[in-house]
Amino acid sequence: MSAIADLSAAELEALRNEVRGKYEAFRARGLKLDMTRGKPAPEQLDLSNGMLALPGNADHFTESGEDARNYGGLQGLAEARALFLPVLGAPPDRIVVGNNSSLALMHDCIVWALLKGVPGSPRPWAKEQEIAFICPSPGYDRHFAICEEYGVRMLPAPMTGQGPDMDVVEALASDPAVKGMWCVPKYSNPTGEIYSDQTVRRLASMRAGAPDFRLFWDNAYAVHHLTERRHEILNILEECERAGNPDRAFVFASTSKITLAGAGVAFFASSAANVRWLLARAGKRTIGPDKLNQLRHVRFLRDEAGLYRHMDAHRALIAPKFAAVAEALDRHLARTGVARWTRPDGGYFISVDAAQGTAKRVVELAKEAGLALTPAGATWPHGQDPHDSTLRLAPTFPSLEEVRAASEGIALCILLAAIDKQCALREAAGGA
Amino acid sequence: MSAIADLSAAELEALRNEVRGKYEAFRARGLKLDMTRGKPAPEQLDLSNGMLALPGNADHFTESGEDARNYGGLQGLAEARALFLPVLGAPPDRIVVGNNSSLALMHDCIVWALLKGVPGSPRPWAKEQEIAFICPSPGYDRHFAICEEYGVRMLPAPMTGQGPDMDVVEALASDPAVKGMWCVPKYSNPTGEIYSDQTVRRLASMRAGAPDFRLFWDNAYAVHHLTERRHEILNILEECERAGNPDRAFVFASTSKITLAGAGVAFFASSAANVRWLLARAGKRTIGPDKLNQLRHVRFLRDEAGLYRHMDAHRALIAPKFAAVAEALDRHLARTGVARWTRPDGGYFISVDAAQGTAKRVVELAKEAGLALTPAGATWPHGQDPHDSTLRLAPTFPSLEEVRAASEGIALCILLAAIDKQCALREAAGGA
């Protein structure tokens, strides 16, 4: 197929009819498919079924002899902190284990920053006239939703394939109103890109206008590889320390997409001062996290090797789904010039840049054909994609067969919307 | 024994020597006892060991067919909400089930009220010049710590044995700066008292100066009876509705002292508007609570009858400990006039009013004898007991034998401190 922009009017019209026919045939199948959210499939959750009877009736003591059933242990079990040390890149005394949601830890850090300030804050963030966060975009909608909820202005920064555009980020960060930045540094949501060493070093060392600037380093996909290559990124905590900004990064992670999505454990890692700050705040909120669930994780995953074996089993289940999406997009869209898409080495998403001004239309067409996609714009601050172009595909939850069918439909919707747009543009140009 | 105030100088001196001798003998035993916190004993936790292997490898579907392992279900499982309906006094659609800490739910409600306001708020509470909470005192130190953390002024109101002094409460509540009030309505922490019907009705119907005034109704000990009598209190949500203040009460409870202290589930119940508000806020913080732990609770407790049977087993373990404290206090302090103490029908504490100006000294004397007590003043806002008189005893965690030994020591410390104080007062009077 040629790029549709190069087609003659007659060729374009013929292609439009052909693609519309295929789309209608797809629609006539009356499918019901959901590619909206990055949820693990039941088969992935089955990998952790061994946890469901843990820790067992007579196994509730920690290595230090604590009774994990009772109150206390605000920082989390030492053995759970040790187990995830390789993921978090901080010694156990600078790791905190929370309940089942790293999003909750991020939320609480923002709320506490607003009401109390963080180490180095001249005053609580809520007492500033206005505050802003740098938001690499497209990004994670739930990060942006927290900013929206609390009136934090969002400053988009474009992604480059190596992380955010650091020239833009550095310029934005020099403003004292800019208090933080969202980062998903590995297999980024949704673009799948990996922050390069240079990106990480520049983030660690750049001048920040605010003395209490924080990187919200959401390493959600630290061990979530889709290929045999286990990509590594630089250790942000070490880089910040080296650059003389030891308190700059709040690191977050969770086992939601390792063990059980609804019943994992979440982690916070940072400098000693930030950890003290977090524990002082958290100690007003709770007497301690669910330590039995931490014990369950330690008993089940055992050690770093166990963690990697477990992630390999996830990969075996979901890599074929990513491949199925790529295959359908390749087959229908290669050389049409209507879209670009990512081929991530990890994470949970494929990001498609559809023809400008067509993403909403693609989601509509898909919906009419029984295919639920993430709303167009969802990956941009306030849900506003300036180019109406980004689509986020989440292939993990449906079965492989469903992913194949859905990918077929998605490719057709992307192509049809682009052709319709091309026709409309030509009509407008012709009419002008 | 006579009231020590009535003793002659010689009698008092003789008694002082006798009690000091007993105290020294107690100290010489070199015990190590801890009566500081309301923690369940290991034997109480053992009652729930059946949960530690639940839900089991192949049981992770909810009644509605949801996979409890995956993301979602922000409001909590319908069956968990139904199970605790009798405790919460609201229909299941007005109950929210959270993770392992009701304190966390209370904290989050305050934080969200500060940053966003509650239904009916003219503006977020943090935008008010100053806000205050009514704090029935003595009360729960962790409630007061939240106020302290966020700069909420605390207005103590005395307890009457039927709940807080409502004349005082009504006068305080008329101030528009007063946004809320802490209540532990049944087996109150630490006094053990039960709010009378009249107290509950007046709280529900009193005029509040703030249009968004909220009762933080921490029904922590709803089913935690120490006698065969299962005391009931009026349903605050119904009373508020009846009085035309349907959004006034936030009801909290948890299973921390029902199943496992560190791994229970927490509840919020309120009006439809308040529940919508809470879920809208919580939805920015997390994708959902740990539903497997909710399933674990449902599978283990089964139904209301199961819950009551389980609480009866707790009672069998801890009622003798409360009786041991009462016995020792009676034996050493009856008719001395130096102290009054509670004989609660439920809850986790015995509250002692020691001689004015001696509580700190009692805690010191106890410490010197190897007995850890809750710091004097801890049950008052900012840790400041105006009379330096309240002592909170927590007899559940130590063994019965330890409680017996500790109670002996505590009684001696209370008596010795009172005698020393009496001597000092007489000396001062004599010297003047």
Side-chain angles (χ1 to χ4, degrees):
Chain A
M1 191 185 290
S2 322
I4 64 165
D6 301 336
L7 298 180
S8 69
E11 286 169 331
L12 188 64
E13 190 55 31
L15 182 64
R16 186 188 213 176
N17 288 333
E18 181 197 329
V19 173
R20 183 163 287 281
K22 286 182 184 167
Y23 169 77
E24 291 300 341
F26 181 86
R27 190 154 84 111
R29 291 169 65 186
L31 300 172
K32 263 295 204 199
L33 299 168
D34 190 329
M35 296 263 276
T36 53
R37 300 242 43 120
K39 285 168 67 166
E43 296 74 23
Q44 290 180 268
L45 300 171
D46 287 346
L47 297 174
S48 298
N49 274 2
M51 288 179 70
L52 297 178
L54 289 176
N57 291 1
D59 178 18
H60 45 75
F61 288 96
T62 69
E63 274 172 21
S64 65
E66 266 179 295
D67 187 339
R69 302 171 304 174
N70 219 327
Y71 285 119
L74 190 61
Q75 192 165 356
L77 300 188
E79 50 264 54
R81 288 183 269 131
L83 174 58
F84 288 91
L85 185 155
V87 174
L88 293 159
D93 62 326
R94 284 169 37 202
I95 294 174
V96 179
V97 195
N99 280 335
N100 73 326
S101 166
S102 56
L103 189 72
L105 291 178
M106 298 174 220
H107 168 277
D108 291 353
C109 282
I110 294 216
V111 153
W112 289 328
L114 286 165
L115 291 172
K116 305 288 295 183
V118 297
S121 292
R123 61 194 72 80
W125 291 4
K127 300 269 186 204
E128 303 283 354
Q129 276 221 306
E130 186 190 48
I131 66 164
F133 261 50
I134 302 170
C135 296
S137 301
Y140 180 33
D141 52 351
R142 291 185 188 271
H143 287 164
F144 301 159
I146 291 176
C147 284
E148 197 164 0
E149 173 82 350
Y150 297 111
V152 178
R153 195 155 55 95
M154 290 184 267
L155 308 169
M159 301 299 282
T160 64
Q162 310 259 301
D165 183 325
M166 283 306 302
D167 292 339
V168 173
V169 169
E170 285 167 353
L172 292 172
S174 66
D175 178 348
V178 173
K179 292 291 198 181
M181 173 173 175
W182 293 110
C183 299
V184 183
K186 195 194 276 193
Y187 309 136
S188 199
N189 174 353
T191 63
E193 69 201 77
I194 300 164
Y195 286 23
S196 69
D197 291 356
Q198 206 198 1
T199 301
V200 176
R201 285 208 186 94
R202 286 176 74 176
L203 287 168
S205 62
M206 69 185 179
R207 199 184 76 74
D212 52 352
F213 176 85
R214 287 294 181 280
L215 297 169
F216 279 63
W217 196 259
D218 182 3
N219 205 358
Y221 308 106
V223 293
H224 303 57
H225 314 288
L226 284 168
T227 75
E228 290 197 359
R229 177 152 176 218
R230 291 179 183 152
H231 287 276
E232 291 293 339
I233 53 171
L234 283 187
N235 182 322
I236 187 66
L237 295 172
E238 285 172 12
E239 293 301 323
C240 286
E241 206 169 319
R242 189 166 297 144
N245 299 311
D247 297 331
R248 178 169 287 187
F250 286 165
V251 175
F252 304 94
S254 85
T255 67
S256 298
K257 293 182 179 91
I258 295 175
T259 55
L260 298 167
V265 293
F267 301 95
F268 172 88
S270 196
S271 66
N274 285 336
V275 166
R276 270 196 308 276
W277 171 83
L278 185 90
L279 290 174
R281 304 285 78 73
K284 305 298 182 194
R285 184 178 182 272
T286 180
I287 306 175
D290 182 339
K291 297 182 299 300
L292 283 176
N293 203 33
Q294 297 181 23
L295 207 58
R296 216 171 266 131
H297 278 75
V298 171
R299 296 286 185 266
F300 179 67
L301 294 170
R302 292 174 185 274
D303 52 24
E304 199 180 342
L307 171 61
Y308 285 120
R309 269 196 307 278
H310 189 75
M311 295 314 295
D312 286 345
H314 277 291
R315 174 160 71 84
L317 291 169
I318 64 176
K321 297 179 181 178
F322 282 80
V325 176
E327 189 279 324
L329 297 179
D330 279 342
R331 183 155 38 78
H332 288 286
L333 303 179
R335 290 177 303 282
T336 60
V338 307
R340 288 176 307 142
W341 55 94
T342 59
R343 299 172 190 277
D345 281 356
Y348 262 59
F349 300 105
I350 288 168
S351 186
V352 181
D353 289 332
Q356 291 208 3
T358 68
K360 281 194 185 122
R361 179 65 185 145
V362 170
V363 173
E364 259 173 39
L365 285 168
K367 190 181 171 191
E368 287 164 18
L371 252 173
L373 296 185
T374 308
T379 58
W380 288 80
H382 300 294
Q384 305 293 326
D385 175 357
H387 308 297
D388 185 25
S389 162
T390 309
L391 295 165
R392 188 185 76 174
L393 307 183
T396 55
F397 186 73
S399 70
L400 180 55
E401 197 183 343
E402 287 172 327
V403 170
R404 283 205 187 100
S407 304
E408 197 71 21
I410 290 163
L412 290 170
C413 294
I414 291 169
L415 187 55
L416 182 56
I419 293 168
D420 286 349
K421 179 86 182 182
Q422 182 70 22
C423 292
L425 285 173
R426 291 191 188 183
E427 261 171 55
Chain B
M1 191 184 289
S2 321
I4 64 163
D6 300 336
L7 299 180
S8 69
E11 287 167 332
L12 187 64
E13 190 55 32
L15 182 63
R16 187 188 210 176
N17 288 331
E18 179 196 331
V19 173
R20 182 163 287 281
K22 287 181 183 167
Y23 169 78
E24 291 300 340
F26 181 85
R27 191 156 84 110
R29 292 168 66 187
L31 300 172
K32 261 296 201 201
L33 299 168
D34 190 330
M35 297 264 275
T36 54
R37 301 239 45 119
K39 286 168 66 167
E43 296 75 24
Q44 290 179 268
L45 301 171
D46 287 345
L47 298 174
S48 298
N49 274 0
M51 288 180 70
L52 297 178
L54 289 176
N57 291 1
D59 178 18
H60 45 74
F61 289 98
T62 68
E63 274 172 21
S64 65
E66 267 179 294
D67 187 339
R69 302 172 304 176
N70 219 326
Y71 285 120
L74 188 62
Q75 193 165 357
L77 300 188
E79 51 265 53
R81 289 183 268 130
L83 174 58
F84 287 91
L85 184 156
V87 174
L88 293 159
D93 62 326
R94 285 170 36 203
I95 294 174
V96 178
V97 194
N99 279 337
N100 73 327
S101 165
S102 57
L103 189 71
L105 291 178
M106 298 174 220
H107 168 276
D108 291 352
C109 282
I110 295 218
V111 153
W112 290 328
L114 285 166
L115 291 171
K116 305 288 294 184
V118 297
S121 291
R123 63 194 70 80
W125 291 4
K127 301 268 185 205
E128 304 284 354
Q129 277 223 305
E130 185 189 51
I131 65 164
F133 261 50
I134 301 168
C135 297
S137 300
Y140 181 30
D141 52 351
R142 291 184 188 272
H143 288 165
F144 301 159
I146 291 176
C147 284
E148 197 163 0
E149 173 83 349
Y150 297 112
V152 178
R153 195 155 54 95
M154 290 184 268
L155 308 169
M159 301 298 283
T160 64
Q162 311 257 302
D165 183 324
M166 283 307 302
D167 292 338
V168 173
V169 169
E170 284 166 353
L172 292 171
S174 66
D175 178 349
V178 173
K179 292 291 197 181
M181 174 173 174
W182 293 111
C183 300
V184 183
K186 195 195 275 191
Y187 309 137
S188 199
N189 175 351
T191 62
E193 67 202 77
I194 301 165
Y195 286 22
S196 69
D197 291 356
Q198 204 197 1
T199 301
V200 176
R201 286 206 185 95
R202 286 177 73 176
L203 287 167
S205 62
M206 69 186 179
R207 199 183 76 74
D212 51 353
F213 176 86
R214 287 295 181 281
L215 297 169
F216 279 64
W217 197 259
D218 182 4
N219 205 357
Y221 307 106
V223 293
H224 303 59
H225 314 289
L226 284 167
T227 75
E228 290 198 358
R229 178 155 175 213
R230 293 180 181 150
H231 287 276
E232 291 293 340
I233 54 170
L234 284 186
N235 182 320
I236 187 66
L237 295 172
E238 285 172 11
E239 292 302 321
C240 286
E241 205 169 321
R242 190 166 296 143
N245 299 311
D247 297 330
R248 177 169 287 185
F250 286 165
V251 175
F252 303 94
S254 85
T255 67
S256 298
K257 293 184 181 88
I258 295 175
T259 55
L260 298 167
V265 292
F267 301 94
F268 172 88
S270 196
S271 66
N274 285 336
V275 167
R276 271 196 307 276
W277 170 83
L278 185 91
L279 290 174
R281 304 286 77 75
K284 306 298 181 196
R285 183 177 183 274
T286 180
I287 307 176
D290 182 339
K291 297 182 299 301
L292 283 176
N293 204 32
Q294 296 180 24
L295 207 58
R296 215 170 268 132
H297 278 75
V298 171
R299 297 286 185 268
F300 179 67
L301 294 169
R302 292 175 185 275
D303 52 25
E304 199 181 342
L307 171 62
Y308 285 120
R309 268 196 307 276
H310 189 75
M311 294 314 295
D312 285 346
H314 278 291
R315 174 160 71 85
L317 291 169
I318 64 176
K321 296 180 181 178
F322 282 80
V325 176
E327 189 279 326
L329 296 179
D330 279 342
R331 186 156 35 80
H332 288 286
L333 304 178
R335 289 177 304 282
T336 61
V338 306
R340 288 175 307 143
W341 55 95
T342 59
R343 299 170 189 278
D345 280 355
Y348 261 58
F349 300 105
I350 288 168
S351 185
V352 180
D353 289 332
Q356 292 207 4
T358 68
K360 281 192 186 126
R361 179 64 186 146
V362 170
V363 173
E364 262 174 36
L365 285 167
K367 190 179 173 197
E368 286 164 19
L371 252 173
L373 297 185
T374 310
T379 57
W380 287 80
H382 302 293
Q384 305 293 326
D385 174 357
H387 308 296
D388 185 25
S389 162
T390 309
L391 295 165
R392 187 184 76 174
L393 307 183
T396 55
F397 186 73
S399 69
L400 179 55
E401 197 183 344
E402 287 172 327
V403 170
R404 282 203 188 103
S407 304
E408 198 70 21
I410 291 162
L412 289 171
C413 294
I414 291 169
L415 186 55
L416 182 56
I419 294 168
D420 286 348
K421 179 89 181 178
Q422 181 72 23
C423 292
L425 285 173
R426 289 189 191 185
E427 262 171 54

